[in-house]
Amino acid sequence: MNTQATPSPQFYLTAPAVCPYLQGEMERKVFTHLVGPRAAEMNDLLTQGGFRRSQNIAYRPACEACRACISVRILANEFQPARSMKRVMAINRDLVSNVFPPQPSTEQFSLFRRYLDSRHQRGGMSDMSALDYAIMVEDTHVNTRLIEYRKREPGAGISAEAKGELLAVALTDVMSDGLSMVYSFFNPEAEKRSLGTYMILDHIQRTQTLGLPHVYLGYWVKGSPKMGYKTRFQPQEHLTPRGWERFVEEYEG
């Protein structure tokens, strides 16, 4: 009988840094590496425990004086779109989505840079190069997919080989209990399309089709305008010290 113990992940703590979401706060993170044959299993467990993935790192906030970052997941099987969300789906009915392995392209990076330059000029990702983008996409040991959203070409119909204008991209992990939206970006000039909302709605539909219960959205920070959109997708659960609990907020859609 093999009595050798299975290696346990090693966790580390970052040094304090300025919080990107709440003014005057400092953030710290606890993290571990997602590598090896058990990476996908570990990613499932850690995501369900409030961690997020970035490349081959899983991390979660470990701030000394603040607990504002709260993990959020949508209950996909119970979700019903609000009126405004139905309008978003209607506006984007001319889009075609295609799923690919995590392989970057120059077209994706060009859209990524436009998005960063418009929406996140002072963020931690603002100086990312083409190589940095490639590493963000490719450096994964879990079940990751790239979803491209393109405008359907006139007369093309619904085609798996869509070659129209690339409007949005989502980097998504496929887990045992749902989909985790690792990172997404879109054409910042297409404001009327509400592409960020559309991609979340599309992930809810994909999760429903897979027969899985959850769409993981990462962290919601109450009081941060950057994060306010996440509570619009009801019903959802928030991770509390007591575990995952249903969160209800009035929203007029």
Side-chain angles (χ1 to χ4, degrees), residues 47-205:
T47 301
Q48 292 160 9
F51 281 72
R52 292 291 288 168
R53 185 180 73 81
S54 177
Q55 300 174 38
N56 65 359
I57 297 291
Y59 68 91
R60 68 171 296 173
C63 306
E64 296 176 0
C66 180
R67 296 292 183 270
C69 292
I70 299 174
S71 295
V72 174
R73 67 186 186 187
I74 302 167
L75 299 175
N77 294 335
E78 301 179 42
F79 176 80
Q80 295 293 331
R83 293 188 300 272
S84 62
M85 296 175 184
K86 291 179 180 178
R87 290 194 292 270
V88 170
M89 290 189 288
I91 291 171
N92 291 288
R93 59 182 177 271
D94 62 336
L95 297 189
V96 178
S97 61
N98 293 280
V99 181
F100 300 99
Q103 298 173 351
S105 70
T106 55
E107 187 181 22
Q108 292 167 14
F109 177 68
S110 177
L111 181 63
F112 177 69
R113 281 292 352 153
R114 289 170 64 189
Y115 174 77
L116 290 182
D117 292 341
S118 174
R119 297 296 184 95
H120 301 285
Q121 294 180 353
R122 298 181 180 179
M125 304 173 73
S126 60
D127 295 329
M128 286 182 64
S129 65
L131 177 59
D132 295 326
Y133 174 74
I135 293 172
M136 181 180 81
V137 172
E138 293 177 328
D139 194 1
T140 174
H141 292 251
V142 304
N143 188 5
T144 303
R145 295 292 181 266
L146 268 176
I147 306 175
E148 291 186 349
Y149 300 86
R150 294 180 179 273
K151 188 174 181 180
R152 186 181 297 119
E153 295 176 307
I158 300 176
S159 171
E161 300 296 330
K163 297 296 182 182
E165 180 187 359
L166 180 65
L167 291 180
V169 177
L171 184 65
T172 302
D173 287 348
V174 182
M175 306 194 312
S176 62
D177 69 330
L179 300 179
S180 177
M181 298 186 69
V182 176
Y183 195 78
S184 59
F185 54 94
F186 52 85
N187 185 338
E189 298 174 4
E191 292 185 8
K192 293 182 179 180
R193 287 183 175 271
S194 299
L195 290 166
T197 295
Y198 177 73
M199 283 190 282
I200 295 175
L201 294 171
D202 179 69
H203 277 69
I204 294 171
Q205 292 180 336

